[in-house]
Amino acid sequence: MTHVSRLAMSLALALPLAAQAREATQDDAFASIATLREAYAHGTLTPDGVTRLFLDRIATIDHAGPNLRSVIETNPDALAIAAKAGGKGPLAGIPIVLKDNIDTGDRMMTAAGSLALTSKPAPRDATVTAKLRKAGAIILGKANLSEWANMRSAHATSGWTGRGGLTRNPYVLDRNACGSSAGSGSAVAAGLATAAIGSETDGSILCPASMTGLVGIKPTVGLVSRMGIIPISATQDTAGPMARSVADAATVLSVIAGSDARDPATAEADRHATDYTRFLDPNALRGKRIGVARQLAGIEPNADRALAHTIAVLKAQGAIVVDPVTIPHLNELSQRELDVLLTDFKHDIAAYLATRPDQPMRTLADLIAFNEREAAKEMPWFGQDLFLAAQAKGGVDDPAFIEKRDTNRRLAGPEGIDAALEKDHLDALLAPSWGPAFTTDLVLGDHVVSGDPTVGGVSAPAAIAGYPSITLPVEFAHELPVGVVFFGTKWSEPTLIGIAYALEQQVKAYRRPTFMATLPVE
């Protein structure tokens, strides 16, 4: 029996459909996957009723009202799909939004937020999309993002695309939702979908999840297929779940994990993919040895307070906290990372565009030329300096590129994270998140506070190593969520999920956003 089958059995409820279905309410927009599945089983809610609720909320909150612009496009077939939803799949009847770089072989576009890819839909589902559909999920729409997943310009504003405009943070509207999975985070936090799929190269799941008060899981590179996802880097890319609870994120990860013959990086995935809900243990902190990566702290005071709060809870729940822990080579990684990503991008974007034969873009050079032609629409706020830098790179068979890639992987993974874990016999490492969301500035671009620039952001060590990490909120500062990040060795998702779940049960930090226009001065 597969891990997905076991999960389906664990969630299926053998209860008669005797109750009269009621109209879905605003509270149902924030219901967990388990709560919705139970309501469907009892007959008190229907998938089409819940889907209609989300579509109505998108119309009144996202496309009007606070005007979050988190959902770039809704699925014109969502209600028809919901009317037929049923069965015992682990996500049967659960509405999910996908980041607009994840292919759907339907009437929706997949464009990474760019107008360059809006001539035709993708011809087939990404592997992640196909797995979600097989599990019964309703693909509700596409989430806005940072255009090209923040790979177009170093001066970009996170959450802005030529296709979708600017995504706003639902907690305080003039604050940023962070990138590049900004829309995925904003939509789920605002109750516009039950869960979302984001993607990360370095920080693009963790940062938006942190700044919108969500749980985000960045899996081990190779646990989840990247086939059918508009890439940045085959070295570091992965998709992952974003949700309002660890349980929901674990449920979604259980569905999308696994090997895919079309993505060689996933060759070992089936040996590790499992039903991650088995690790939702409220006592999981007892006896765990967790090291505090102080190299990634001391930058933002609100984040440091959240870290201190977390450490106190961990100790109270029986964890052994080793503080501080040093990650070797941390200050060497960022020197090579951008070069690796730029070289990968030039190669990988061309390989992806070859899977979209019905549209005119074939190479990075074609995209650069499109942006120049459509500069008024595509480049009103920032240019394409990263595109140009990538275009100037050599190939992925260049020995200098291979040396940089392999060195960074080794220093971040075996000689970095693994060395720190082994030295103090640790189960996981802990660091503060990015702190509260920064104000959006389309003129000057992002000014995210993430850590010492010589070591990159808190996401960098695990991102460069290809190792898993998870973020969750632990408190609020000035009406904005603040969280922490746990990360560990390759394939350590079960341990990280257990730690995060046990912490979550104590802090219970998620709260619904109120769409404040700005923070009061007094």
Side-chain angles (χ1 to χ4, degrees):
M1 183 180 294
T2 68
H3 68 279
V4 173
S5 299
R6 291 194 298 270
L7 178 61
M9 291 182 64
S10 71
L11 291 175
L13 299 173
L15 295 173
L17 300 180
Q20 178 67 39
R22 59 175 176 78
E23 185 175 347
T25 68
Q26 303 306 309
D27 286 343
D28 297 316
F30 295 91
S32 68
I33 292 172
T35 297
L36 289 177
R37 296 284 291 121
E38 183 176 2
Y40 295 158
H42 279 286
T44 55
L45 284 175
T46 62
D48 54 329
V50 171
T51 300
R52 188 175 293 107
L53 167 68
F54 282 129
L55 291 173
D56 289 346
R57 286 177 64 83
I58 290 169
T60 58
I61 294 173
D62 204 63
H63 299 168
N67 194 23
L68 294 180
R69 294 188 180 183
S70 65
V71 180
I72 206 167
E73 179 180 7
T74 55
N75 186 350
D77 301 314
L79 285 174
I81 294 169
K84 300 176 183 178
K88 297 180 180 180
L91 296 176
I94 302 300
I96 290 179
V97 295
L98 307 180
K99 188 175 179 178
D100 184 42
N101 61 351
I102 301 174
D103 285 351
T104 53
D106 52 23
R107 293 194 283 167
M108 291 188 290
M109 298 295 171
T110 304
S114 172
L115 298 171
L117 293 184
T118 56
S119 61
K120 294 280 186 180
R124 63 185 292 186
D125 280 348
T127 300
V128 165
T129 308
K131 284 175 172 281
L132 291 167
R133 293 195 204 272
K134 185 177 180 181
I138 298 164
I139 307 302
L140 189 65
K142 294 292 183 73
N144 204 5
L145 68 161
S146 306
E147 189 168 301
W148 295 108
N150 256 344
M151 195 56 181
R152 204 187 84 192
S153 173
H155 307 287
T157 295
S158 288
W160 186 92
T161 64
R163 185 180 179 215
L166 176 68
T167 298
R168 294 175 170 85
N169 191 310
Y171 287 95
V172 182
L173 298 176
D174 65 358
R175 298 275 162 165
N176 201 273
C178 202
S180 65
S181 305
S184 298
S186 181
V188 175
L192 307 181
T194 303
I197 302 296
S199 67
E200 173 158 333
T201 307
D202 187 342
S204 292
I205 290 173
L206 297 182
C207 188
S210 174
M211 293 194 181
T212 59
L214 299 182
V215 175
I217 300 177
K218 197 285 288 189
T220 299
V221 171
L223 181 64
V224 176
S225 173
R226 290 85 55 86
M227 193 65 194
I229 300 178
I230 298 174
I232 289 179
S233 165
T235 303
Q236 293 183 201
D237 286 354
T238 183
M242 301 171 70
R244 291 184 294 268
S245 69
V246 177
D248 281 0
T251 300
V252 175
L253 181 61
S254 301
V255 167
I256 64 175
S259 298
D260 177 6
R262 297 191 297 159
D263 183 356
T266 65
E268 298 179 48
D270 279 350
R271 280 186 267 165
H272 300 278
T274 186
D275 173 4
Y276 292 101
T277 64
R278 295 190 297 115
F279 305 100
L280 302 176
D281 177 5
N283 300 312
L285 288 171
R286 291 180 185 171
K288 288 291 189 302
R289 294 179 60 84
I290 300 171
V292 181
R294 288 285 170 185
Q295 295 152 289
L296 298 168
I299 304 298
E300 205 289 313
N302 297 287
D304 285 343
R305 283 192 290 272
L307 176 64
H309 177 197
T310 299
I311 291 170
V313 174
L314 296 181
K315 290 179 177 178
Q317 295 301 306
I320 300 163
V321 177
V322 181
D323 185 8
V325 166
T326 298
I327 303 174
H329 307 293
L330 199 57
N331 61 352
E332 302 174 42
L333 304 177
S334 62
Q335 300 168 11
R336 304 176 193 85
E337 183 184 18
L338 183 57
D339 278 346
V340 170
L341 301 185
L342 290 171
T343 305
D344 267 345
F345 182 65
K346 180 182 179 180
H347 174 272
D348 295 347
I349 193 61
Y352 170 81
L353 292 172
T355 71
R356 302 279 300 270
D358 292 337
Q359 55 81 39
M361 301 293 120
R362 290 289 177 267
T363 64
L364 177 56
D366 292 338
L367 299 175
I368 290 170
F370 177 90
N371 289 337
E372 290 172 349
R373 291 193 303 272
E374 301 293 337
K377 296 177 181 177
E378 280 290 351
M379 299 195 292
W381 298 109
F382 53 89
Q384 54 180 341
D385 48 287
L386 292 181
F387 270 22
L388 295 170
Q391 181 62 21
K393 291 294 182 182
V396 294
D397 56 352
D398 182 346
F401 161 77
I402 294 170
E403 190 277 333
K404 287 180 181 179
R405 180 197 65 196
D406 294 350
T407 298
N408 247 21
R409 279 176 167 169
R410 173 172 51 81
L411 295 182
E415 296 181 20
I417 291 172
D418 290 340
L421 294 171
E422 291 165 9
K423 178 179 180 295
D424 290 300
H425 309 288
L426 302 173
D427 296 290
L429 295 164
L430 166 67
S433 74
W434 285 257
F438 54 95
T439 51
T440 296
D441 187 340
L442 283 163
V443 176
L444 300 179
D446 289 349
H447 50 92
V448 59
V449 178
S450 66
D452 185 335
T454 64
V455 300
V458 65
S459 57
I464 294 169
Y467 289 2
S469 45
I470 184 170
T471 186
L472 74 158
V474 295
E475 59 183 48
F476 274 68
H478 309 292
E479 308 302 323
L480 294 163
V482 186
V484 293
V485 176
F486 293 96
F487 55 104
T489 192
K490 194 174 185 179
W491 312 120
S492 64
E493 284 85 354
T495 298
L496 299 180
I497 286 169
I499 288 170
Y501 180 78
L503 174 63
E504 178 188 56
Q505 303 317 295
Q506 299 301 313
V507 298
K508 299 184 185 300
Y510 176 79
R511 69 171 75 156
R512 299 181 191 180
T514 58
F515 311 107
M516 295 177 63
T518 190
L519 289 176
V521 176
E522 297 180 358

